[in-house]
Every structure is written in structure tokens, then in C-alpha cells.
Amino acid sequence: MISISLCMIVKNEEEVLARCLESVKDIVDEINIIDTGSTDRTVEIASSFTDNVYHYEWTGNFAQARNVAHAYATKEYTLYLDADDVILPKDKEKFLQLKETLDPNVDAVSMYYHAGTDEFGNVTIQYRLNRLLKTARKFQWQGDCHNYLNVTGHIINSDIAITHKKISHSVGRNLSIYEERKKRNEAFSARDYFYYGNELRENKYYEEAIKSYQQNLEMHSGWIEDKVYAATYQADCYRILKNEKQELNSLFYALQLAKIPRPEICSRLGYHFQQKRDFKPAVYWYELATTIKTDPNKWSFTYPAYATWYPHLQLCVCYYNLQQFEKAYEHNEKARIYRPEDQRVLFNKELLEKRLDLSNEK
């Protein structure tokens, strides 16, 4: 059986740290906590789980901090988590089985990151990360924020998920890092422009976000997955700014870049036409979104809602407006599988049952 060191950087995480460590303590053989300047009970909580609590003076660079943290690992493999991550019981079982069976020649194991969940427990955003790393390889973190690991060698993909359960969002923190880089006239890579665009969009600077995404799209370098989503998120910004023509152009460009339709693009196209009350093309795109199967080994972002409850809920609305009430009911029921207590779904159910006189059949 392999041995595992958990290495984490933390700051003012008293609300979530115990939850994280409780979920992982039976998996790992060593816990290393690197505190970057907490003023709450974070160090006290960490010390209740491990004697390996270290202090690091924050430099404003997450990659540097993470590399320092990983240097404390003494076991065969290194695992990293954020304080607001947890390993749910079903994934803990899978992780323990992986620990017993992992070939020590493996250099890294990728796992799903469930970066968001809705109030019904549905995963809202998922992607893969190299999560378990052979310590001897000394893989390094890169990037000031939105860091990434430069991993090579024998990598396997597991079906284990790490679940992110944040309590609050640090609005503007990452955006300020990029703004400081701009002030220093640092050159931005295609990846930088993509993530800078994301931060601008999330902070509601939509016109600036469009420009940053465009800079990503105009560069020959960069990951094609980032470019697909740069065009997709650019369309979101145009929609918010009520520029329907450019929204549609960006969505079709995203489709062109992706080559194969994706639920995230199709559902947005459906919504575009639905808002124009052009329900037949809306139905076409929503129906297509529900038929696309996602590659389980896909590394870039996937948003499961766009292939499941969301298009079904919108199809209910579209078919209702097309006076096809049985189809509307059918799709509402499919949405209800994922969101059984969603008030919109329950309202539709009651309305359509009266319309179809289904209530008397029960």
C-alpha cells in the first residue's frame, strides 16, 4: 500500500478546516498544514489534527506557497486540498481502495473536482485535476493565481471526486492579482487572458471581460478548451449587455472551435431563441443538449446542468408555448428527477396536470 502526505496552505479557515481534515484524516498518513497568516482559530484547529503546522509569510503568489507546502511531504505520494474541500463518504471508499491497489510506478492520479453543487446536491461544474502526485517527481505549481501543475509521466484517471463546499467567495481577490500584474507591464499568456476574463466577468466588468476573452481567442497559443469557453463566456457577456447579434456570433464561433456540439453551447443557443420567442429553433438546440454524452475523461470544464435538468425545464416552457402540453409535461418530469423541490418545476407540474386533466387519473 502506498503512503500519502496531505499538504495544504490555509489562512483564516476556522469555519471549514475541521470539516476538510475530518473527511481526509483516515486516508492520509501525514498532514502538513502551512499557515500564511491566519488571525482566527485556524492554527488551533490544524494543531488538533497534526503536529506538522508551519508558518509561511504570504508573498501574494499562490504557486510559490503551494510549492513550499509540497516540500514538507515525506511520504510516497502528495495530496493537496483547499480548506473548503471535502471527500464525501462514497469517494472516501474509492480513495481507500485506490490507496491499496495503486501501482507505485504511477506518477499522478487525476480526480474529478466538483467545484460547485446546487441545493439539491447536483454537481454544477466539474473538471479534472492531477490530485495525487508522486512526491519524488517534485512537480511544480505555476501561475500567480488559478495555478496549475506541470505534470508529466504515467498519469491515470480515476472516478474519485473531491467536492468543493465553499461558504463565501473572495470577490475581487484574484482580479486584483491580475490588475497588479498589468501595472507591472507583465506579459500575459493566452491562459492568463482567459482567466483574467473570467475574473472580470465574475466581477461584472463585462465589456472588459469581452476584450480579455478576445485577446485569448486572437492568440495562436493556448489550450483549445480555454478558447471554446472564452467564446462561450464572451457570449454570456454580450447577452447581459443585450447585444444579441454578437452573442449569437460568439456562440457559433464557440461551436466552430469545439467542432462537436456541447450541451453548454447548445443550451445557450436554445435560450437565445427562446428569449426571442422563436420556440422551434429553441427546441432544436435544447433537445440536442440532452442527447450529448460527456467524455468521463474530459479535463476541461463541464456543467452537467446544461445536459440535464436545465434544457428539460426550458423544453417544458417551449413546448407549452407551442401548445404541445404532453411534451411539456414529459420534459418537466425529467427536470423533476434532478430538482424534485424546485418551485418552478412544481408549479409547472400542477399547471400541466390540470391542463391535461391528469389529476383525476391518480
Side-chain angles (χ1 to χ4, degrees):
M1 182 185 297
I2 63 164
S3 59
I4 303 174
S5 295
L6 172 67
C7 295
M8 299 174 59
I9 59 170
V10 298
K11 182 179 180 181
N12 292 336
E13 302 286 4
E14 65 178 3
E15 292 184 273
V16 293
L17 182 58
R19 181 185 67 183
C20 172
L21 295 178
E22 191 67 37
S23 75
V24 74
K25 68 178 184 179
D26 297 328
I27 297 173
V28 300
D29 304 281
E30 175 182 70
I31 298 175
N32 299 304
I33 305 294
I34 291 74
D35 186 77
T36 63
S38 294
T39 56
D40 62 3
R41 294 180 53 250
T42 294
V43 171
E44 176 188 342
I45 293 168
S47 298
S48 69
F49 285 87
T50 179
D51 294 330
N52 302 334
V53 180
Y54 307 97
H55 297 276
Y56 172 77
E57 186 174 348
W58 179 245
T59 64
N61 187 302
F62 282 96
Q64 289 178 2
R66 291 188 189 278
N67 286 330
V68 168
H70 283 211
Y72 285 103
T74 65
K75 305 304 179 182
E76 294 170 90
Y77 284 84
T78 300
L79 171 70
Y80 68 92
L81 297 172
D82 289 332
D84 48 6
D85 292 337
V86 296
I87 302 177
L88 298 178
K90 62 180 180 179
D91 293 299
K92 181 177 178 179
E93 291 180 14
K94 294 177 183 178
F95 209 135
L96 289 170
Q97 184 177 7
L98 174 74
K99 186 178 179 182
E100 291 181 358
T101 59
L102 185 65
D103 182 344
N105 291 316
V106 169
D107 294 302
V109 179
S110 83
M111 301 179 185
Y112 292 121
Y113 192 38
H114 291 168
T117 53
D118 65 18
E119 64 270 37
F120 302 106
N122 300 307
V123 176
T124 56
I125 175 171
Q126 171 181 284
Y127 48 94
R128 281 193 172 275
L129 292 171
N130 283 310
R131 184 67 73 167
L132 189 65
L133 314 161
K134 180 171 280 190
T135 304
R137 291 296 308 273
K138 297 183 179 179
F139 296 121
Q140 293 292 292
W141 288 92
Q142 298 178 9
D144 292 336
C145 62
H146 295 293
N147 319 129
Y148 62 95
L149 279 160
N150 188 10
V151 176
T152 58
H154 185 191
I155 303 168
I156 64 170
N157 298 329
S158 77
D159 64 349
I160 300 167
I162 307 298
T163 300
H164 187 58
K165 288 195 171 185
K166 66 182 178 183
I167 292 177
S168 60
H169 181 61
S170 301
V171 178
R173 181 191 65 185
N174 291 339
L175 180 59
S176 65
I177 293 174
Y178 284 113
E179 296 289 359
E180 287 298 318
R181 290 187 59 191
K182 285 187 69 178
K183 289 179 183 177
R184 296 194 297 267
N185 293 318
E186 290 187 18
F188 274 32
S189 65
R191 186 177 190 275
D192 288 327
Y193 280 122
F194 173 66
Y195 281 102
Y196 183 38
N198 289 347
E199 294 298 332
L200 289 164
R201 176 174 52 87
E202 290 176 8
N203 285 275
K204 301 182 179 181
Y205 297 111
Y206 301 117
E207 292 182 354
E208 293 88 342
I210 288 169
K211 293 176 183 177
S212 191
Y213 289 136
Q214 191 61 35
Q215 286 173 297
N216 167 278
L217 292 167
E218 290 176 358
M219 296 179 74
H220 294 295
S221 60
W223 192 25
I224 187 61
E225 292 293 326
D226 287 350
K227 294 187 184 297
V228 170
Y229 280 102
T232 304
Y233 298 152
Q234 193 180 60
D236 289 344
C237 295
Y238 280 125
R239 184 185 68 250
I240 293 167
L241 295 172
K242 302 187 183 307
N243 189 333
E244 293 181 357
K245 180 179 179 180
Q246 286 303 115
E247 175 200 2
L248 197 58
N249 287 341
S250 292
L251 286 172
F252 281 131
Y253 187 50
L255 200 60
Q256 178 183 336
L257 290 169
K259 298 182 180 179
I260 297 174
R262 298 186 183 188
E264 295 87 351
I265 303 171
C266 294
S267 283
R268 283 171 167 86
L269 284 165
Y271 186 74
H272 174 89
F273 290 107
Q274 181 185 351
Q275 290 300 102
K276 296 166 72 69
R277 301 191 63 79
D278 201 352
F279 294 112
K280 287 187 177 180
V283 163
Y284 171 85
W285 289 109
Y286 283 135
E287 292 274 16
L288 183 57
T290 67
T291 66
I292 300 169
K293 304 300 181 184
T294 301
D295 181 356
N297 292 321
K298 186 175 180 230
W299 278 77
S300 68
F301 307 124
T302 57
Y303 297 82
Y306 286 115
T308 55
W309 69 266
Y310 176 79
H312 285 302
L313 182 59
Q314 301 302 344
L315 281 164
C316 171
V317 175
C318 291
Y319 277 123
Y320 185 89
N321 279 278
L322 291 168
Q323 305 290 293
Q324 297 185 43
F325 303 120
E326 290 185 359
K327 280 187 172 291
Y329 183 79
E330 174 189 335
H331 285 287
N332 193 67
E333 286 297 287
K334 289 179 178 178
R336 193 161 68 93
I337 294 171
Y338 299 93
R339 296 175 68 84
E341 303 300 325
D342 188 316
Q343 291 304 305
R344 297 167 297 178
V345 174
L346 295 177
F347 175 84
N348 294 344
K349 179 176 171 63
E350 182 178 1
L351 176 68
L352 287 163
E353 285 182 348
K354 288 179 180 177
R355 170 74 68 167
L356 296 168
D357 199 25
L358 295 177
S359 57
N360 294 332
E361 297 178 11
K362 295 180 180 179

